[in-house]
Amino acid sequence: MASPLPPDPHCHCWSKLPSDLLRLVFDRLGFSGFQRAKSVCSSWLSVSRSCQPNNQIPWMIRFPCKGGNDNDYCLLFNPEEKKMYKTPNLGNDFAKSFCVATYRSWLLMQPQYKYMQGHQFNLYILDLLTRERIDLPAFESGFGLTCPILWIDEKTKHYLVIGMSDEDYAISFKKGDTSWKQIPTSLQECFSMVFKDKKLYCLNYGKLNILDFSGDDTPLRVFKTSVSGCLKPLPGGYGIRRAGIPCKDQLSHFKVNVVVTLAGHVLIVKCIRPSLSKIWNFGIYKMMEGGNNKWEKLVSLGDEAILLDLGITVLAKDMPGIITNSIYFSNPTPYFEDKYDKNEIFIFNLDSNKVQQLHLSACSSFPCLSRSRWFLPSFKRQ
């Protein structure tokens, strides 16, 4: 019987790769690839404990729709794996609040009206992965913070919260402030705002304003242009009432969002749902060079996809779990209501010009969770 061959000195075992090299690999992996890589062997698992996945695709978060200590969690759906994760306990008042904005894995939470006393709104910021919480000072309002914006530097923990106070004026609160401050620049009746690269993009039915927040003091308005070239008045309401059909289904719906692309281009996305229809139609307009009320209609987003809830685009080419040339959006009920209809999640593909609903069989076991939105979680920790 022949003796076994001696080991080849030029053959290297994957488990013997240097730790520094493995960390470079792990830091470039998405969530699913990260989970698979750490199960290769014990040495890879050991190195993975000092790394975090680099997520670049949107996840879906589903919130509880009823208050109570039994609903102090939410569900996270990863489209790449088509798998649902349940968060740990997020606090006794989590189900008594609702999420009005997200930034990476941070949520801006606002109390539901039935749990409030008077018109004092006590908002807080919550990291749903680590449960770190930042309480914000109260402010008085009839409707709370509308068009809210949340931004956080995850390394320094500097944060900024912006929103409209009863649609009359914009207010802000950042780390180090002792109270909410009114933004001096006139921003009235804004219904869509995006914060990107220290610039605030504010849209109403008349103008688009861009404010620069890079300074330490008062933000400066750096740009203003008319949007009348791509916006039309809000469609009418009921028309002829039809018996046996809920009023909300007889209304036509019209929603407009400002979106900022990866390259910094400004888009206006019009969402229209006709009366008696459950289908949303979309129109996308790009601001041309120089502004001055010059907009062109887009028919393609190329290799990007729009996350409408966040007002940004992300690279979708060669990214498993996300579809290029698509709009990821939710079909929300007004967030200031205490009673929520089932809030579904949709994807509109501009290639097929069709809307597809994200069917989640995993959610059937959790009927108490119905409100949903897309978000872009970050698993990086400094």
Side-chain angles (χ1 to χ4, degrees), residues 68-317:
N69 294 336
D70 294 335
N71 297 328
D72 52 12
Y73 66 93
C74 56
L75 300 179
L76 308 178
F77 177 74
N78 180 3
E80 183 183 1
E81 299 177 298
K82 296 182 173 56
K83 185 175 180 180
M84 191 77 71
Y85 295 89
K86 182 179 177 180
T87 67
N89 185 322
L90 295 174
N92 293 334
D93 56 349
F94 180 76
K96 299 178 182 179
S97 308
F98 51 88
C99 176
V100 294
T102 68
Y103 184 80
R104 305 300 290 178
S105 299
W106 294 85
L107 312 179
L108 178 61
M109 305 296 296
Q110 179 168 293
Q112 296 184 30
Y113 289 101
K114 61 183 177 182
Y115 299 110
M116 291 175 52
Q117 294 182 351
H119 295 284
Q120 292 290 320
F121 282 83
N122 296 88
L123 280 70
Y124 65 93
I125 306 170
L126 177 70
D127 187 323
L128 59 81
L129 300 181
T130 66
R131 294 189 293 176
E132 182 178 353
R133 174 169 169 158
I134 303 171
D135 290 308
L136 303 178
F139 67 94
E140 189 168 336
S141 171
F143 299 101
L145 200 64
T146 60
C147 297
I149 292 293
L150 171 65
W151 173 84
I152 292 185
D153 184 319
E154 292 185 304
K155 183 176 182 179
T156 65
K157 291 301 190 310
H158 285 97
Y159 59 86
L160 176 66
V161 180
I162 305 172
M164 300 298 296
S165 177
D166 298 342
E167 299 183 354
D168 292 332
Y169 54 87
I171 59 176
S172 67
F173 188 89
K174 66 178 186 295
K175 184 176 182 179
D177 288 344
T178 57
S179 63
W180 291 84
K181 296 180 179 179
Q182 180 178 347
I183 297 178
T185 305
S186 178
L187 297 174
Q188 295 182 337
E189 299 180 347
C190 292
F191 54 77
S192 178
M193 294 198 292
V194 172
F195 189 81
K196 184 175 173 27
D197 298 329
K198 296 188 177 181
K199 288 186 173 62
L200 180 66
Y201 300 78
C202 310
L203 178 67
N204 61 29
Y205 283 108
K207 300 289 183 182
L208 170 70
N209 288 275
I210 303 178
L211 277 64
D212 187 349
F213 276 73
S214 60
D216 295 331
D217 300 320
T218 303
L220 301 175
R221 182 164 61 193
V222 295
F223 186 81
K224 180 173 72 171
T225 186
S226 172
V227 294
S228 59
C230 57
L231 295 187
K232 294 181 179 179
L234 187 69
Y238 292 96
I240 300 176
R241 291 288 302 276
R242 303 193 182 190
I245 300 177
C247 294
K248 64 179 182 178
D249 293 335
Q250 299 187 46
L251 282 170
S252 57
H253 296 268
F254 181 73
K255 187 178 180 182
V256 182
N257 293 77
V258 59
V259 173
V260 183
T261 70
L262 287 170
H265 299 303
V266 179
L267 308 179
I268 287 181
V269 181
K270 295 167 55 176
C271 321
I272 302 172
R273 195 183 77 181
S275 175
L276 303 178
S277 173
K278 295 184 178 180
I279 303 300
W280 287 88
N281 300 312
F282 290 86
I284 305 175
Y285 300 84
K286 176 182 175 182
M287 186 172 67
M288 299 179 65
E289 293 291 335
N292 298 323
N293 198 24
K294 294 181 180 180
W295 300 82
E296 61 175 337
K297 189 169 183 178
L298 287 186
V299 295
S300 175
L301 297 168
D303 295 332
E304 298 180 24
I306 290 176
L307 306 186
L308 204 58
D309 290 341
L310 300 179
I312 60 173
T313 65
V314 292
L315 185 63
K317 184 181 180 181

